[in-house]
Amino acid sequence: MDHDLGGISDLAIRLATEAGEILRKGRHSALADVTATKSSPVDIVTALDRESETHIVGAIRTFRPGDAILGEEGTSVEGTTGVRWLIDPLDGTVNFTYGIPYFAVSIGVEIDGVRTIGAVFNPATEELYTATRGDGARRNGTLIEPRPTPALSTALVGTGFAYVQDIRVAQAATFQKILPAVRDIRRLGACALDACSVAIGRLDAYYELNINPWDISAGDVIASETGARVTSFDGGVAETSAIIGRGE
């Protein structure tokens, strides 16, 4: 089936920026709007997570009613077109609620099972990252140039941690092995933006255990289109774990 990649990309970008505006307007009341927890008592959900996802999903179902949709806040729609949208309506919820300007709306699109389009928007900094596979990645419309591969010993590496204690124990063990081998490690708190940070050179690499497809789908396309290699820990597709970097 032929797909209108330009039209799908335009819709993804529009919805990421519209949802980002919802987050920007509600940002100052976010901590009071915490409505639930998920994997643990510290894994929070706000009313704005849900409002953002509702806006995105409603528009997709209006303009592309046959597409599949998977969203972090519970949306799961089967499709018939070969197009699937993966939505993180607020990546970095804890940052958002504490007023830390490192959060984003992340929208990835798979075409016939291949991650093809990504849009990640941080409304706090007004940075919009976009990519279509084979056409490069852009920040606010400007093409992102591929960056050189640093030596591991001088690499600034990003990571993230789960909100479940048992998983954190395993993540801490991995952290202890990696920290002595690199320049330093940053835990910034938003997987999609971490992938974009590798794309533009704010990080040299990124890794994380215990992620979800909506966390990494858009960032995978954006980072890959700048020459980064994106895999799971076992070398497959990054879905439940991710390593993003340059070189072998």
Side-chain angles (χ1 to χ4, degrees):
M1 182 183 294
D2 292 331
H3 298 285
D4 177 13
L5 295 186
I8 296 171
S9 176
D10 288 346
L11 181 58
I13 292 167
R14 184 188 121 199
L15 295 181
T17 53
E18 288 177 354
E21 184 64 12
I22 291 171
L23 300 182
R24 189 190 67 77
K25 287 180 177 178
R27 182 178 172 193
H28 298 294
S29 63
L31 193 55
D33 287 339
V34 173
T35 59
T37 60
K38 293 187 284 189
S39 62
S40 78
V42 294
D43 185 8
I44 58 178
V45 180
T46 71
L48 288 165
D49 288 76
R50 291 173 172 162
E51 184 178 347
S52 174
E53 182 159 312
T54 296
H55 176 79
I56 295 166
V57 171
I60 295 169
R61 300 197 73 174
T62 296
F63 294 105
R64 296 192 55 88
D67 291 356
I69 311 171
L70 181 64
E72 182 178 17
E73 303 311 326
T75 301
S76 182
V77 177
E78 297 295 324
T80 59
T81 63
V83 176
R84 184 169 77 142
W85 298 72
L86 294 103
I87 301 162
D88 192 336
L90 174 47
D91 182 34
T93 301
V94 172
N95 284 351
F96 180 74
T97 59
Y98 278 83
I100 298 169
Y102 196 82
F103 59 88
V105 179
S106 176
I107 301 177
V109 184
E110 294 177 351
I111 308 291
D112 298 327
V114 177
R115 292 174 180 171
T116 303
I117 291 167
V120 176
F121 179 56
N122 180 346
T125 61
E126 298 187 343
E127 288 180 297
L128 173 65
Y129 301 92
T130 60
T132 298
R133 194 166 296 279
D135 190 41
R138 290 165 174 79
R139 178 175 59 173
N140 293 343
T142 299
L143 189 69
I144 302 170
E145 298 294 339
R147 301 186 63 82
T149 303
L152 181 62
S153 61
T154 62
L156 183 63
V157 179
T159 192
F161 303 114
Y163 292 106
V164 178
Q165 185 175 10
D166 290 348
I167 298 172
R168 283 187 169 189
V169 170
Q171 290 172 326
T174 302
F175 181 92
Q176 286 182 314
K177 293 177 182 177
I178 293 175
L179 180 58
V182 300
R183 183 192 300 276
D184 207 346
I185 291 182
R186 296 288 182 268
R187 192 277 201 264
L188 300 171
C191 177
L193 284 179
D194 289 342
C196 295
S197 290
V198 175
I200 64 171
R202 285 182 183 153
L203 294 172
D204 294 310
Y206 165 78
Y207 77 92
E208 187 168 351
L209 290 160
N210 196 56
I211 61 171
N212 296 287
W214 51 76
D215 295 315
I216 193 63
S217 177
D220 181 339
V221 183
I222 293 163
S224 296
E225 284 298 304
T226 67
R229 185 167 178 256
V230 183
T231 71
S232 64
F233 273 44
D234 61 7
V237 176
E239 288 188 324
T240 60
S241 65
I243 299 173
I244 305 176
R246 290 177 170 78
E248 297 301 321

